[in-house]
Each structure stands twice: as C-alpha cells, then as structure tokens.
Amino acid sequence: MRVFLISASVVLLAGCATGQGYVSGGAGSGTMNALPQHSEAEFERDRDAILAMTGEYDVTFDFRETVPLREGYELAEPKRTGAWEVVRVIEDRGDFISLQHFLLVGDDEDNPMVIKHWRQDWEYEPARIMDYDGHDDWHMIDLTEAEAAGAWSQSVYQVDDSPRYAAVARWTHENGISTWEPHASNRPLPRRDDTTRSDYHAIQAVNRHVITPWGWVHEQDNTKIVIDETGEHPLVREVGVNTYVRTDLPRDDAADEYWAATADYWTHVRAFWDTLEATADTFHVADDAEGTLLYGPMLSASMRIAFGAADTDEAWEEAEALLASQVAIDGEPVTTDFIEMAAAE
C-alpha cells in the first residue's frame, strides 16, 4: 500500500482545500430554473454521493500551473504532496451534511498526530452562500428559489472553521458516476502559495467532486487572479487533482479520539461562524499567511484540550478573544456580545 506522510509543519502551511464568481447552475447540468424539483429518490442518490466521501484515505494533492496569462510570467514548479486522511460525518440533518477531515501525520503510523483539517458542509436548496471578494473580505449571496431548487451548496471551511469558499450545483448521476460541478467561484490564496508569493490575490475555481468505485476525486480548474481598483485580472491557469483512494489506516481511531475530546470546543466555534453567515451581509477575517493570528492559535487551543492541558471553557475563552480581534462584521469589529450570543445558540 502506497502512503505519503507529511510533517505537521507542512500540513499547517499547505492549503489543499482550496468565491466574486457565483453564477447559478452547474456545468453539464443545464439551466437551473429549467429543471424540475428533485424526487425523493434523486435526493437520496445525492445524499449517498456526499456520504460516500467519508472513510479512510491515502490522499495525493497535485497542483500544476498550465497556461501563463500575463506576458513574462513563468510557470511555478508543480506542487505534489500526500497524506493520510480520515473523513467523518459530524452532523446529518437529512438536508444538511457536515463532513470533517482529519490528517494523520508523523513517522509512526501506529501513533500518529491528529490535525483537524478542512470541513465541507453540504446543504440542500440553501437560502444563501458566502462569496470571496479578495483581500480577506467576503459577502453573502441570497439565492432565489430557482437557483436553489434541487441543488446542493458546498461550503468549505479552514482548519479553524473560518470560511473559505462556497458554490451551488446539482449532483448528476450519469452512467453510474456521481458528479457535482458548479460554475466558477472565488477563494483566498491556498497556503501553499500564500506563504511563498504575493503576486496574486485570489483563485477563481471550478470545483468538481467525482465519486469513483475506489474513492473520490476533488478536481479544480483554477485561474489565479490579481485584484486591484480596476477589477480582476488573470495571471495563470492551474489544474489541481486531489485523489482520495480508500484504504485501511491502522490508527483511524486516533481521529475519533481527538474529536471526542475537542468536539464541544469546535461546536462553539462553528456556532460563531454559522451565526455570522446567517446575519451578516459582509465580513472580514484577518490573518497572516502563516496563520499565526487566528487559525494557528485556535488549532493550538484544541490540541491542549486533546492532550489534557486545558478544558473546553479555557480554550473557548481564548478563541473568543481571537475572534474579537480578527473578525469584522458589516465593517464593524465583532462584539463580545455577538460571540457569546452565537455560542449560546
């Protein structure tokens, strides 16, 4: 069995889950308001496809720049890494499914370190989604009934549960292959680039999920763009293929042990972001490229819980201060009252 291992430092700095770019519909799925409402059977096939992404995986992350779009631009070297990854359902309400990813890292496969990785939330016929404007700014988009009918949104979150990108499309299940493919949406720089370069400001991506007999593939057709006062300007195109090959990891239970210890803490954190997305029109999340201002400290707080060095209340108190210092809602710094109200919901 071929398995890649990456160190904890690489994991924390490399972005592999990588929108103004929302357009209703999905490639290959036709015009949204020309399609009928899903039947119950179609809805269940969609759910089966989403739930098929759970399990234990030998993962390869492969990103390659392909077409320079600015004169004089030289293609960057391809970036290919691998990992062990565990994907678990942490919430399933029928029309809402939340999948949490965990990385197992280290040289000892029988005693791996667990690092909370990205999260993907799937919502059937959503009312709104987030969209990235560049420069750490997001806004919320209210969807029409026609845009949402029969469709699922995928909202992706970083290791600290802060927003990353979202889009909407219908699942298709042609010839036994389940595929979800929206139109392009914008997202922040992946950390694999954010820590090493500053010549572009966002990625405009078509984000495709395909369920296969041996696992699943997350394909990305990316355009790296420069954002300035005159608009968005393409720099280079990139192809990303994240391949999840189902396997039997010897210590997948380590992810479950980490989650059992830290789930209450992360529930508070998710409640904050859920409330923000439900009530805000715009928001700003400040962090540096290395994540030392927000996601690093918030992840470290969870690790102290996992190792018994802090309890949930202590870690959440620290997280509250971090969120208050780094997040603004509709142009105003987030208040302690808002954070406490969100955590209580």
Side-chain angles (χ1 to χ4, degrees), residues 208-247:
R208 184 183 308 109
H209 287 253
V210 181
I211 310 303
T212 71
W214 40 263
W216 56 284
V217 178
H218 177 197
E219 301 173 88
Q220 300 174 44
D221 299 328
N222 297 333
T223 300
K224 298 179 179 181
I225 58 176
V226 176
I227 301 175
D228 59 25
E229 63 278 0
T230 64
E232 300 179 354
H233 311 283
L235 178 66
V236 62
R237 292 206 175 104
E238 175 188 68
V239 172
V241 181
N242 300 339
T243 305
Y244 290 74
V245 178
R246 197 174 298 279
T247 190

Side-chain angles (χ1 to χ4, degrees), residues 35 45 79 89 91 108 112 132 150 174 241 258 270 345:
L35 290 177
R45 289 187 72 182
K79 295 186 177 181
V89 177
E91 188 172 357
D108 184 358
Y132 185 61
E174 298 174 0
V241 181
Y258 166 85
R270 289 198 311 278
E345 291 188 354

Side-chain angles (χ1 to χ4, degrees), residues 5 12 72 82 108 122 130 136 145 189 226 230 234 296 324:
L5 288 173
L12 292 177
D108 184 358
W122 293 86
M130 60 184 165
D136 298 327
E145 290 185 7
L189 269 66
V226 176
T230 64

Side-chain angles (χ1 to χ4, degrees), residues 25-43:
S29 60
T31 304
M32 274 200 162
N33 51 9
L35 290 177
Q37 180 70 32
H38 264 22
S39 68
E40 183 176 349
E42 291 169 322
F43 173 76

Side-chain angles (χ1 to χ4, degrees), residues 8 17 27 46 59 73 113 130 146 148 179 192 210 216 250 312 318 320-321:
D46 295 350
V59 189
Y73 181 83
M113 176 182 290
M130 60 184 165
T179 302
R192 64 179 182 272
V210 181
W216 56 284
T312 296
E318 179 180 336
E320 284 184 300

Side-chain angles (χ1 to χ4, degrees), residues 47 60 99 103 107-108 171 260 272 304:
R47 278 181 43 82
T60 302
L99 305 181
L103 287 165
D107 295 326
D108 184 358
W171 280 92
F272 167 81
R304 289 198 297 277

Side-chain angles (χ1 to χ4, degrees), residues 261-262 264-266 268 300-319:
T262 63
D264 288 345
Y265 168 76
W266 290 116
H268 289 320
S300 295
S302 81
M303 298 302 289
R304 289 198 297 277
I305 299 173
F307 288 117
D311 61 26
T312 296
D313 290 341
E314 292 169 336
W316 173 238
E317 183 177 355
E318 179 180 336

